[in-house]
């Protein structure tokens, strides 16, 4: 099992930036997929960004490409989500999650189904 502790988040006006951090501990050797998904009440969960921690391959959802960036510090076992040019539609609860996937291309879609996840952090973007 992996423990995840998130930090960052908050409220910003449209166009602003925020950075989320997610520090992992425990059996991180059992995972290769780490990233963020978000959820808005009444809507489906959406994978936002992920990284294959073994191959250093990243994927971003189309809705955040060009605005968000994900990175991983292997020494700290921490994943970062840099969010720029935030929009009101980015308002959601953001969760960090990690697990194992056979193929990197399936990581983004799998994040919301992983059992190892953080407590969630709220992002609110005002117009």
């Amino acid at each position: 099992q992996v423990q995840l502790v998130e930090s960052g988040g908050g409220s910003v006006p449209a166009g602003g930036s925020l950075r989320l951090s997610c520090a992992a501990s425990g059996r991180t050797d059992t995972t290769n997929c780490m990233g963020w998904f978000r959820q808005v009440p009444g809507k489906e969960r959406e994978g936002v960004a992920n990284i294959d921690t073994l191959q250093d391959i990243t994927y971003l959802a189309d809705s955040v490409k060009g605005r968000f960036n994900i990175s991983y510090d292997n020494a700290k076992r921490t994943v970062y989500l840099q969010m720029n040019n935030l929009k009101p539609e980015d308002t959601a609860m953001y969760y960090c999650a990690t697990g194992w996937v056979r193929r990197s291309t399936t990581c983004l879609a799998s994040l919301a189904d992983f059992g190892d996840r953080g407590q969630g952090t709220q992002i609110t973007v005002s117009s």
Side-chain angles (χ1 to χ4, degrees), residues 34-36 38 46-52 57-71 79-84 94 104-105 107-109 111:
M34 193 169 180
W36 301 85
R38 62 189 181 187
E46 178 190 16
V48 175
N50 77 267
I51 187 165
D52 181 319
I57 300 172
T58 62
Y59 293 95
L60 296 169
D62 288 342
S63 58
V64 303
K65 282 180 180 177
R67 300 188 298 121
F68 291 13
N69 184 54
I70 187 169
S71 59
V79 66
Y80 303 95
L81 184 66
Q82 178 66 44
M83 303 180 291
N84 300 320
Y94 284 69
S104 295
T105 51
C107 177
L108 193 64
L111 286 171

Side-chain angles (χ1 to χ4, degrees), residues 47-120:
V48 175
N50 77 267
I51 187 165
D52 181 319
T53 57
L54 298 182
Q55 303 183 71
D56 199 25
I57 300 172
T58 62
Y59 293 95
L60 296 169
D62 288 342
S63 58
V64 303
K65 282 180 180 177
R67 300 188 298 121
F68 291 13
N69 184 54
I70 187 169
S71 59
Y72 181 66
D73 185 327
N74 189 52
K76 296 181 179 179
R77 295 191 292 180
T78 298
V79 66
Y80 303 95
L81 184 66
Q82 178 66 44
M83 303 180 291
N84 300 320
N85 190 22
L86 282 160
K87 302 177 179 180
E89 51 263 43
D90 294 317
T91 295
M93 184 71 80
Y94 284 69
Y95 296 89
C96 177
T98 191
W100 178 267
V101 294
R102 290 184 177 274
R103 294 177 296 171
S104 295
T105 51
T106 64
C107 177
L108 193 64
S110 302
L111 286 171
D113 295 325
F114 289 146
D116 291 330
R117 62 177 64 174
Q119 75 280 9

